Amino acid sequence: MPVLRKKSVEDVEVSGRWALVRVDFNVPMSEGEITDDRRIRASLKTIRYLLDHRAVVILASHFGRPKGKDPSLSLKPVAKRLSELIGQPVRFLDDCVGPAVEEAVKSGKPGDLFLLENLRFHPEEEANDPRFSARLAGLAGLYVNDAFGTAHRAHASTVGVTKYLPAVSGYLMQEEISALSEALEDPARPLVAIVGGAKVSSKIAVIQHLLPRVDRILIGGGLANTFFKAQGLEIGKSLVENDYLDTARQIVQQAGHKLVLPADVVIASKAEAGAEQQTVSTDAVPAQWMILDLGPKTVERFAGLTGSAGTVIWNGPLGLCEIPDFARGTHELARRIAGQRARVVVGGGDLVGALEDSGVIDKLGHVSTGGGASLEFLEGRELPGVAALEDR
């Protein structure tokens, strides 16, 4: 369902209107400081368009998983960073609903920019409570969804408000859906998918949805271990899902030559930084060791297949990237792909964090801002936050 079939900010009159804009400012933060502002920067195009066209802009976002009003999960630091990025004051409001918020927003003038406090300080947000939705909608006369990262959630700020306001997409939402749709439905061939992550159970729907569409599917990360064991290989103390061995066998049989598993792996005695490690072929893993990364021969083979590709879809890290010792395979493959000709679409979530350290993330084409949303899109599922927007 490409977002181009949905109305965008350019399809409606915004001048002089109060626009409630759902953004995804759920950014990494440490000791009150933002450590990665990629999601904030991704929203700037939509915000600037609305401001330039004389709208009063009211931004709404969640942050983390608070249990009630948790000061450590306030969006106040985001307001400061956004102000620096956009070059104008951002008026931060210490709640997202209520008389004080309504009065402040009502006093806004065209070109003013507000940021509401964390939506999830109210449990009604995730419950998609109609009364809470109506209170949010009451702040504005137009709704813009530019939060692809939450488009797979049917919450008050993603679906509920669309019952009360004209609802259109922002630029980021358009770009995300268009990039993913093109990669799946009209890719430059050959189409190569790389699927990593920890578990088969979390990626089986993606693999099954991709198989009929791709020319090759390259498997790495912890989920490869279940495929190894399903083929009778020793995997030592590696992470494995024994309940999915039959599923893995079925996928291997269904995929045939399309499926490519690692030929060599980096193993270690423990999943710890500085642990003893070595590189072995996948049929030579000792009983007491753990598979934690791709080996160099596999990186070379994967890079050869992506090098001849027209499109590459990549979802999930290929090693235990939280530990730098086991992120080398992911980083090296990213560097190789960055220098190739393929159109690259990178799924969000843990992979983006891993690729930040590769030094080439900005050379990898489209990098999604949404982990769960991109995963569900690649599974072929309808995203409630997109479905709720008005059709063109």
Side-chain angles (χ1 to χ4, degrees):
M1 185 183 58
V3 82
L4 296 178
R5 297 175 190 165
K6 297 293 181 177
K7 287 184 180 178
S8 79
V9 287
E10 294 186 8
D11 294 318
V12 292
E13 179 61 56
V14 302
S15 180
R17 299 178 79 174
W18 274 247
L20 177 66
V21 185
R22 182 52 161 103
V23 289
D24 183 5
F25 286 168
N26 188 30
V27 294
M29 202 176 295
S30 176
E31 298 180 358
E33 295 293 325
I34 296 167
T35 57
D36 180 2
D37 64 5
R38 179 177 296 273
R39 284 181 169 173
I40 303 174
R41 287 185 281 117
S43 71
L44 295 180
K45 184 176 180 181
T46 296
I47 297 170
R48 285 192 175 117
Y49 176 87
L50 292 166
L51 294 173
D52 290 347
H53 287 78
R54 308 292 292 159
V56 179
V57 180
I58 308 142
L59 304 177
S61 179
H62 74 288
F63 178 51
R65 297 185 177 278
K67 306 295 183 186
K69 295 188 177 182
D70 181 348
S72 70
L73 293 175
S74 171
L75 281 166
K76 193 169 186 177
V78 173
K80 178 174 180 289
R81 182 64 183 132
L82 175 60
S83 180
E84 294 167 353
L85 289 169
I86 207 158
Q88 77 169 66
V90 177
R91 187 171 175 187
F92 178 72
L93 304 179
D94 61 8
D95 205 340
C96 56
V97 291
V101 172
E102 292 165 11
E103 184 177 346
V105 168
K106 188 177 180 180
S107 71
K109 297 178 176 57
D112 283 352
L113 180 58
F114 295 87
L115 175 61
L116 305 179
E117 181 57 284
N118 193 342
L119 291 162
R120 288 187 184 173
F121 282 178
H122 295 264
E124 298 94 331
E125 156 66 1
E126 292 183 271
N128 195 13
D129 180 85
R131 287 171 294 182
F132 184 73
S133 301
R135 293 173 77 190
L136 281 175
L139 300 174
L142 173 69
Y143 172 72
V144 180
N145 193 340
D146 210 31
F148 177 72
T150 62
H152 61 311
R153 303 298 188 198
H155 292 170
S157 67
T158 59
V159 171
V161 294
T162 67
K163 309 295 183 187
Y164 306 95
L165 291 174
V168 301
S169 63
Y171 289 111
L172 174 61
M173 182 71 82
Q174 292 182 67
E175 291 164 6
E176 290 272 16
I177 302 293
S178 294
L180 289 163
S181 295
E182 182 180 346
L184 286 175
E185 307 301 338
D186 188 26
R189 296 280 179 179
L191 171 59
V192 174
I194 306 169
V195 181
K199 297 179 177 180
V200 172
S201 56
S202 64
K203 297 296 172 77
I204 182 172
V206 171
I207 293 171
Q208 291 175 333
H209 190 63
L210 289 176
L211 266 180
R213 294 167 167 79
V214 301
D215 298 288
R216 290 295 182 108
I217 186 163
L218 319 180
I219 302 292
L223 66 90
N225 301 335
T226 302
F227 285 91
F228 294 148
K229 186 168 182 179
Q231 295 179 322
L233 297 174
E234 172 65 62
I235 60 167
K237 298 189 295 181
S238 307
L239 176 71
V240 67
E241 289 180 286
N242 289 313
D243 291 345
Y244 283 84
L245 295 175
D246 285 342
T247 301
R249 292 185 191 102
Q250 290 167 7
I251 290 172
V252 170
Q253 185 174 12
Q254 178 187 354
H257 76 281
K258 287 185 178 182
L259 187 73
V260 182
L261 291 168
D264 64 337
V265 290
V266 174
I267 60 173
S269 54
K270 296 179 181 178
E272 297 175 1
E276 182 185 358
Q277 61 177 269
Q278 55 182 292
T279 301
V280 299
S281 65
T282 52
D283 60 359
V285 177
Q288 297 302 309
W289 288 61
M290 307 173 72
I291 300 169
L292 296 171
D293 198 6
L294 299 181
K297 290 180 181 177
T298 299
V299 171
E300 191 67 31
R301 187 179 184 200
F302 281 11
L305 292 168
T306 59
S308 61
T311 306
V312 173
I313 298 172
W314 188 351
N315 186 276
L318 304 177
L320 188 65
C321 292
E322 306 94 289
I323 301 174
D325 291 1
F326 309 115
R328 297 188 188 104
T330 298
H331 291 170
E332 180 56 29
L333 184 60
R335 294 183 189 110
R336 296 288 293 275
I337 291 174
Q340 295 172 346
R341 69 178 182 88
R343 163 71 169 155
V344 183
V345 176
V346 175
D350 294 341
L351 177 58
V352 174
L355 293 178
E356 286 283 359
D357 297 326
S358 70
V360 295
I361 191 167
D362 293 325
K363 300 177 182 177
L364 285 174
H366 180 80
V367 179
S368 179
T369 57
S374 63
L375 185 65
E376 292 195 14
F377 194 96
L378 292 174
E379 291 173 355
R381 294 164 66 176
E382 182 177 72
L383 305 183
V386 178
L389 301 177
E390 293 184 7
D391 292 323
R392 274 184 167 164

